[in-house]
Amino acid sequence: MASARDSSHQSDIGKMKTEADGSFKRAASSFRNWIEKGTEFAPEKDRYHLFVSYSCPWATRTLITRKLKGLEEIIPVSAVSPHMGEHGWPFANVDPFPGADVDPLYNSSHVKDLYFRADPNYGGRFTVPVLWDKKKHTIVNNESSEIIRMFNTAFNDLIPAEKAAIDIYPEAHRKEIDGINEWVYDTVNNGVYKSGFATSQEAYEGAVRPLFSSLDRLEKMLKGKDYLVGDILTEADIRLFVTIIRFDPVYVGHFKCNIRDIRNGYPAIHTWMRKLYWNNSAFKDTTNFEHIKVHYYWSQTKVNPTRIVAVGPEPDIKPLDA
Ligand SMILES: N[C@@H](CCC(=O)N[C@@H](CS)C(=O)NCC(=O)O)C(=O)O
């Protein structure tokens, strides 16, 4: 169900404007419903569907949490092609790509078709992740930080006890997690985008320097530690991991985040990242370097007009004993 009106300013990243000072500001997500017992969005098996891109760090937060919590059977997933073009994210029926899927619900061509199905007057960007309700034929939520909180608790009655017991946002650590999330979001997760999408020298330096100050701070925090908060895996690790795993393959070159790289410049962050990746399939199986690299280098033509995909670094991630 495509809209008749021209929505290219919403879907084409090439038409996206930066602020007058050359800085990039991320728009807030617009579907913010909550899956909760006793509400119109009740937790049910096979009622919800998750649409993602493997390339997208925000979407990958939801993939990692879905797998950690053992929600694969409860919430099926479909992945788009990494070629985000003038119509936004395409499904495999219009842009076949290894690892990309078709939309099994409506055979949509693009993610934007889902947004217009949910709201014909939708005026925002057509972002992933999208958590879709098959019963109401609408978007439940398109904000990854909220989707992972729902995955953490809402379906606990429907999964095995050992999966229900996994808590990535434990009560006792919430204040600390919230505190870390705040500056990691602003300077690291979004900091790489602010650096890469900047269209003035000042805006770029205003993003890249705080980014590396935060990496320096994280390096100290992770020295000799497997996790950021306490000695357990929390959403703070998940939210940081998705940016760090993309750092050397994409952000160093494509987004000019090159004061240092992770593998040579940050031994503690590097070890933390490799342990999560190599020791936990929720991280490894949801990381697709091909989708990651092709998406950024191909789609963001303002940053990389030739669409040439950089070949390095080799390997994408080093082994644990390197
Ligand atoms: N706040 C959102 C951000 C999601 C987001 O920006 N996703 C990007 C891909 S990494 C996207 O789909 N962009 C499409 C566009 O802006 O056209 C979340 O965390 O879920």
Side-chain angles (χ1 to χ4, degrees):
M1 194 167 65
S3 167
R5 72 182 155 89
D6 177 18
S7 57
S8 62
H9 63 289
Q10 289 167 260
S11 63
D12 190 343
I13 197 93
K15 292 187 182 170
M16 197 181 68
K17 299 226 168 12
T18 48
E19 304 294 306
D21 64 357
S23 65
F24 163 69
K25 292 216 169 36
R26 185 174 295 279
S29 306
S30 26
F31 293 89
R32 313 295 284 266
N33 301 297
W34 210 267
I35 297 176
E36 209 171 355
K37 259 202 235 169
T39 70
E40 60 172 323
F41 296 102
E44 286 168 32
K45 187 175 174 186
D46 205 23
R47 170 170 171 180
Y48 301 101
H49 194 92
L50 184 63
F51 292 98
V52 298
S53 163
Y54 291 116
S55 61
C56 170
W58 320 99
T60 307
R61 293 170 166 185
T62 68
L63 282 174
I64 293 170
T65 309
R66 170 178 172 268
K67 195 165 168 72
L68 267 180
K69 292 288 296 185
L71 291 170
E72 291 101 320
E73 305 277 295
I74 312 259
I75 304 163
V77 68
S78 303
V80 295
S81 155
H83 294 131
M84 196 182 81
E86 56 179 328
H87 299 292
W89 296 107
F91 286 100
N93 49 338
V94 294
D95 187 38
F97 192 92
D101 302 310
V102 298
D103 163 12
L105 308 181
Y106 311 104
N107 201 33
S108 311
S109 303
H110 296 90
V111 167
K112 77 169 178 179
D113 304 340
L114 293 168
Y115 275 85
F116 285 135
R117 189 177 282 275
D119 175 6
N121 297 315
Y122 179 73
R125 301 204 62 83
F126 309 109
T127 56
V128 287
V130 168
L131 184 60
W132 185 267
D133 181 357
K134 295 193 265 189
K135 216 171 194 174
K136 289 178 175 286
H137 300 280
T138 194
I139 297 173
V140 181
N141 196 302
N142 68 338
E143 171 50 45
S144 61
S145 59
E146 296 182 350
I147 296 173
I148 65 173
R149 295 261 170 99
M150 287 181 232
F151 285 4
N152 188 41
T153 54
F155 297 90
N156 279 352
D157 288 349
L158 305 174
I159 53 180
E162 76 270 16
K163 293 292 187 188
I166 294 171
D167 185 1
I168 59 166
Y169 191 51
E171 196 85 50
H173 293 303
R174 285 192 182 172
K175 244 180 117 177
E176 198 181 343
I177 293 169
D178 290 343
I180 293 173
N181 284 350
E182 204 176 312
W183 57 268
V184 165
Y185 170 78
D186 184 44
T187 58
V188 182
N189 303 137
N190 205 29
V192 293
Y193 283 89
K194 288 196 279 189
S195 168
F197 286 165
T199 54
S200 71
Q201 186 70 31
E202 293 71 27
Y204 161 65
E205 289 192 32
V208 81
R209 294 200 184 279
L211 162 64
F212 278 86
S213 302
S214 287
L215 291 176
D216 294 346
R217 184 173 173 187
L218 288 160
E219 176 70 13
K220 288 199 189 90
M221 289 169 66
L222 284 169
K223 202 155 184 223
K225 286 193 69 192
D226 287 344
Y227 305 110
L228 272 171
V229 177
D231 55 3
I232 48 157
L233 177 66
T234 69
E235 63 166 51
D237 297 295
I238 297 170
R239 292 171 51 128
L240 178 63
F241 176 87
V242 295
T243 297
I244 300 300
I245 196 76
R246 287 162 177 72
F247 207 89
D248 291 2
V250 172
Y251 301 148
V252 169
H254 182 67
F255 277 171
K256 305 184 186 78
C257 301
N258 65 350
I259 295 180
R260 280 176 286 284
D261 63 8
I262 301 295
R263 64 189 62 195
N264 301 300
Y266 291 103
I269 300 177
H270 191 215
T271 300
W272 163 87
M273 176 192 79
R274 284 177 301 156
K275 280 189 175 166
L276 289 176
Y277 179 90
W278 292 110
N279 296 340
N280 190 333
S281 62
F283 291 84
K284 185 166 181 288
D285 295 357
T286 55
T287 301
N288 184 323
F289 288 109
E290 179 73 7
H291 280 235
I292 290 171
K293 292 185 66 166
V294 168
H295 165 63
Y296 284 93
Y297 281 106
W298 188 94
S299 306
Q300 295 165 356
T301 48
K302 266 194 179 165
V303 181
N304 184 36
T306 63
R307 289 188 157 162
I308 290 169
V309 181
V311 293
E314 284 180 341
D316 294 314
I317 179 168
K318 289 193 170 187
L320 249 181
D321 55 12

